[in-house]
Amino acid sequence: MRDVLQVLLRDWRAGGTAGLATVVRTFDSAPRPAGASMLVASGGEAVGSVSGGCVEAAVYELATEVVQRGRPELVRYGISDDDAFAVGLTCGGIIDVFVEPVSRQTFADLEDVGADVEASRPVAVATVIEHPDEAWLGRHLVVRPHGFDGDLGSERANHAVSDDAQGLLAAGRNTTLTYGPDGERRGEGMRVFFSSFAPRPRMLVFGAIDFAAALARMGSYLGYRVTVCDARPVFATPARFPEADEVIVDWPHRYLAGQLDEELVDARTVVCVLTHDPKFDVPLLEVALRAGPLAYIGAMGSRRTHEDRLARLREAGLTDEELAPLRSPVGLDLGARTPEETAVSIAAEIIAEQWGGSGRPLGSLDARIHHDEIHEPSSGAGSGLTTAGGGP
């Protein structure tokens, strides 16, 4: 919903009703992840996408009908048949799409959700997408780290869903869970879709060099909140890194330690060490590798630099288990030469770590193209990122 939120709020504030279609479940090679949304505004404008173009026309018609009827609907789209005009996904995937009318009457707390998202405050929206009692369909519970607003239909359901939403929000995940009709942990009948709006995941780039500028651009493009940090004030300037959200002048290890103390680094955080200078990167990597689960830790340098760095880290007392999450030399083998190409190489490795990809050409594989679940490396590198930059 994040991609369509501004247009949705515009209609909501004007007293209109929009049709919101959200992917709530995917199977096989689905083109868009759970949480992807398409909005049909009250004036007929279409914003967003649920399938990359395969079924958008059908979803548009359904969203228009849902607004007219005032009743939500859950539909499934699968592979199309041999008829060129059949509605379906040509990729062979399957998606469940929940289409609901959104207005002041159906979602009274939407403006507060928008304010939280704008301020990068964590908030989740739980929506009933299936229930034996149609009156429950489309009801929302807005969940924050320390409480919830709204009513799904019973206190039991409210508290069960809120408890689960707390954990999903902390992980930045979008998913559908099944409950009994009154929120029973065991049972079927009610399905709830959780849309998590966690703050953007962080990319910490250490080393104010030209490669860092290219990586900051790439990180911003991928939806990260990018910080560039270097101890040298002559190089660490906002003018040199216009794509970074912030540029910090500090010793890298001291800055990272401070961010950890303030709990501003989490399991979605990416750390890229581009200094390839022992006096900077060894103490920094000591902190990063002992920080607990991070999404990715990569360090630039030649193979000789890498071996020297490992020796220094072992001398500092790091074990093989603690060293295992380190990706060095950083990036995938793309034959990169320029800073921009190197940034693509690093980003490719980060994405592969997140989703458990092999990094091999898709044409050489027989496996599925899309990975449905976030990869959690056994090495201790931690879970990856949310889709779409930490939220739908």
Side-chain angles (χ1 to χ4, degrees):
M1 187 168 70
R2 186 190 297 268
D3 292 342
V4 304
L5 185 57
Q6 292 307 311
V7 177
L8 181 59
L9 280 168
R10 183 194 68 193
D11 267 17
W12 187 92
R13 289 167 181 149
T17 300
L20 178 64
T22 304
V23 178
V24 296
R25 194 176 182 188
T26 66
F27 307 85
D28 300 325
S29 297
R32 298 296 308 277
S37 297
M38 175 179 168
L39 179 73
V40 177
S42 57
E45 175 186 3
V47 182
S49 172
V50 295
S51 71
C54 299
V55 299
E56 259 66 12
V59 172
Y60 184 95
E61 292 183 9
L62 179 58
T64 303
E65 294 172 5
V66 162
V67 168
Q68 293 172 349
R69 294 196 303 261
R71 187 174 68 251
E73 188 167 340
L74 179 65
V75 294
R76 175 168 291 182
Y77 295 99
I79 188 170
S80 59
D81 58 26
D82 293 333
D83 182 353
F85 297 98
V87 174
L89 302 180
T90 57
C91 63
I94 300 171
I95 58 174
D96 284 349
V97 179
F98 184 69
V99 187
E100 59 182 312
V102 178
S103 65
R104 289 178 179 270
Q105 289 70 41
T106 64
F107 199 168
D109 294 321
L110 181 64
E111 179 125 56
D112 292 337
V113 173
D116 285 335
V117 173
E118 180 68 22
S120 293
R121 294 188 294 264
V123 61
V125 177
T127 306
V128 178
I129 63 172
E130 188 173 3
H131 198 279
D133 183 350
E134 287 191 0
W136 285 54
L137 293 178
R139 290 181 178 175
H140 306 96
L141 202 68
V142 177
V143 182
R144 298 179 177 86
H146 304 294
F148 67 86
D149 293 307
D151 181 23
L152 298 182
S154 75
E155 282 301 306
R156 180 175 185 173
N158 291 343
H159 286 286
V161 169
S162 174
D163 287 346
D164 289 336
Q166 298 281 353
L168 293 168
L169 179 58
R173 291 187 58 198
N174 304 320
T175 194
T176 296
L177 296 181
T178 301
Y179 302 85
D182 195 39
E184 299 92 335
R185 293 291 183 181
R186 295 185 178 182
E188 298 181 350
M190 179 171 71
R191 292 172 64 202
V192 178
F193 178 68
F194 296 85
S195 182
S196 298
F197 298 90
R200 285 187 296 161
R202 299 189 66 187
M203 174 181 282
L204 306 181
V205 181
F206 295 97
I209 62 176
D210 51 356
F211 289 91
L215 184 57
R217 289 195 296 273
M218 180 61 69
S220 178
Y221 175 74
L222 292 176
Y224 290 95
R225 183 164 68 89
V226 180
T227 299
V228 176
C229 176
D230 197 296
R232 303 165 297 176
V234 68
F235 296 113
T237 64
R240 295 189 69 228
F241 302 97
E243 302 294 333
D245 293 276
E246 57 182 354
V247 180
I248 304 296
V249 178
D250 199 352
W251 279 85
H253 72 282
R254 184 168 62 191
Y255 174 74
L256 180 57
Q259 295 294 287
L260 287 164
D261 289 343
E262 295 180 32
E263 299 183 352
L264 297 175
V265 171
D266 60 25
R268 302 177 303 146
T269 300
V270 166
V271 172
C272 298
V273 181
L274 309 185
T275 49
H276 52 84
D277 183 333
K279 70 176 178 289
F280 291 122
D281 57 17
V282 171
L284 170 60
L285 287 169
E286 283 187 63
V287 176
L289 292 166
R290 287 172 168 163
L294 298 177
Y296 176 85
I297 304 172
M300 176 178 279
S302 67
R303 297 191 187 281
R304 179 179 297 177
T305 298
H306 171 64
E307 293 302 327
D308 176 72
R309 182 188 291 131
L310 286 180
R312 292 173 184 268
L313 289 169
R314 288 191 174 100
E315 287 177 7
L318 272 77
T319 65
D320 288 344
E321 183 178 359
E322 289 173 322
L323 290 170
L326 178 61
R327 300 296 174 252
S328 177
V330 69
L332 295 185
D333 178 19
L334 304 183
R337 291 290 186 271
T338 68
E340 290 74 19
E341 290 172 347
T342 301
V344 171
S345 168
I346 296 171
E349 185 172 46
I350 291 170
I351 294 169
E353 286 286 316
Q354 173 188 352
W355 294 107
S358 68
R360 295 170 55 196
L362 288 173
S364 70
L365 302 176
D366 294 326
R368 293 173 51 200
I369 292 175
H370 298 289
H371 294 241
D372 287 337
E373 297 297 331
I374 291 174
H375 180 57
E376 299 190 13
S378 59
S379 63
S383 63
L385 310 176
T386 62
T387 59

